[in-house]
Amino acid sequence: MQKPQLNPTPDQTFELIGSGPYDFVKILAESRRRQQQGEVEQACNDRFQAFQRLMALLPDDEEVILEWNHANSRAALELLRATAIDHFLIDDFEMSAAMLELLLELDPEDHLEGSTLLAFDYQAMDEQELFDEVINDVSDKHAVRELLLLWAGFRRDGVLPQGELIRFRERFAPYFREFTAEEHPADAAYLASIESERPTVEAEARELWLQTENLWARWPEFIRELKKAGV
């Protein structure tokens, strides 16, 4: 088995070379296959173990930026983001945040948009200063930024900030309808749309709900206030 190594490139990045347990392309594909076949726990374990091996490879005293255009390096970044999502979904926000902070160190250009999930983590942890820093990296072209600002304002002041509420309700109406609906079924129509090349905005809104549903189960008062604003 080839010994894993970080090879420097002329672009001041590193290519992560390795085989077997360091073949992150293969591990990523296998974890996805297991996920699709319902072997969720094993898929999560695969991703976490890959994260542990990645951590062991990184030097303590040197900045490492992984080369996005190198397949194995990119797969390592994708596995890191995926295990951060796994921990987010079980409400382990601190571990998820730590993983995403590492992801942004290894990929400062944030190709995988880890900043968005990190903003949810910081808000869940009530780390308001850190949230204020990372929210600037979340695109204002997507409804998720308005949702984050709405939730942050509500957590801080106990009321929905009116400017963000108006923008969420008017500029991102399908998302507002989804987040104030009584049901959010992952039914056949939703799955067909979200898995297609061009999902509908309504399907994307439901996907965002399903991706963050654990938060609203834990902090239901935010959703209650949104529903009141929609009456």
Side-chain angles (χ1 to χ4, degrees):
M1 184 182 70
Q2 179 184 11
K3 183 179 179 180
Q5 56 189 335
L6 291 166
N7 285 354
T9 75
D11 297 322
Q12 308 300 312
T13 60
F14 290 84
E15 294 179 346
L16 202 168
I17 309 297
S19 59
Y22 298 93
D23 184 345
F24 292 117
V25 172
K26 184 177 179 180
I27 294 166
L28 179 63
E30 180 66 11
S31 74
R32 287 172 173 168
R33 182 193 66 78
R34 284 176 162 162
Q35 185 95 19
Q36 292 170 352
Q37 294 184 353
E39 301 172 29
V40 176
E41 183 176 356
Q42 186 58 55
C44 291
N45 288 338
D46 290 347
R47 293 189 282 259
F48 183 66
Q49 289 163 7
F51 156 71
Q52 291 177 310
R53 289 193 292 275
L54 174 62
M55 283 289 293
L57 281 176
L58 298 174
D60 296 328
D61 56 352
E62 182 180 0
E63 180 186 52
V64 172
I65 298 175
L66 291 182
E67 176 54 54
W68 177 253
N69 294 315
H70 179 254
N72 203 50
S73 304
R74 183 169 63 249
L77 294 171
E78 291 183 87
L79 282 163
L80 180 52
R81 177 180 179 271
T83 194
I85 292 172
D86 293 338
H87 285 78
F88 171 82
L89 292 174
I90 59 171
D91 294 357
D92 190 350
F93 305 117
E94 290 189 14
M95 178 62 85
S96 177
M99 291 170 165
L100 292 167
E101 288 165 354
L102 175 62
L103 176 65
L104 293 175
E105 290 176 13
L106 297 174
D107 178 32
E109 293 186 28
D110 197 10
H111 291 90
L112 297 171
E113 298 184 347
S115 297
T116 300
L117 184 58
L118 184 56
F120 279 113
D121 279 326
Y122 284 156
Q123 196 53 236
M125 295 159 62
D126 201 21
E127 293 284 357
Q128 299 300 339
E129 291 185 6
L130 293 173
F131 174 84
D132 288 341
E133 291 176 10
V134 78
I135 192 65
N136 293 323
D137 296 324
V138 179
S139 173
D140 60 4
K141 296 180 180 180
H142 197 281
V144 70
R145 178 182 170 87
E146 293 303 330
L147 177 66
L148 278 161
L149 290 171
L150 268 172
W151 188 37
F154 180 75
R155 293 206 74 199
R156 287 168 173 169
D157 303 323
V159 295
L160 297 173
Q162 287 303 300
E164 283 77 9
L165 176 60
I166 291 169
R167 283 191 292 274
F168 191 58
R169 188 167 51 197
E170 296 181 359
R171 185 179 174 189
F172 302 105
Y175 287 83
F176 183 79
R177 289 194 298 271
E178 183 64 38
F179 274 72
T180 55
E182 292 301 320
E183 297 182 347
H184 314 270
D187 53 19
Y190 160 74
L191 293 172
S193 180
I194 205 64
E195 292 171 2
S196 68
E197 290 187 6
R198 294 185 178 180
T200 64
V201 178
E202 288 75 14
E204 291 176 336
R206 182 156 303 171
E207 181 181 48
L208 181 58
W209 167 273
L210 294 171
Q211 288 172 338
T212 57
E213 189 173 12
N214 60 309
L215 295 175
W216 320 131
R218 191 170 179 137
W219 289 283
E221 60 277 5
F222 171 63
I223 299 300
R224 285 198 295 267
E225 287 301 309
L226 271 185
K227 288 180 177 179
K228 288 180 184 177
V231 174

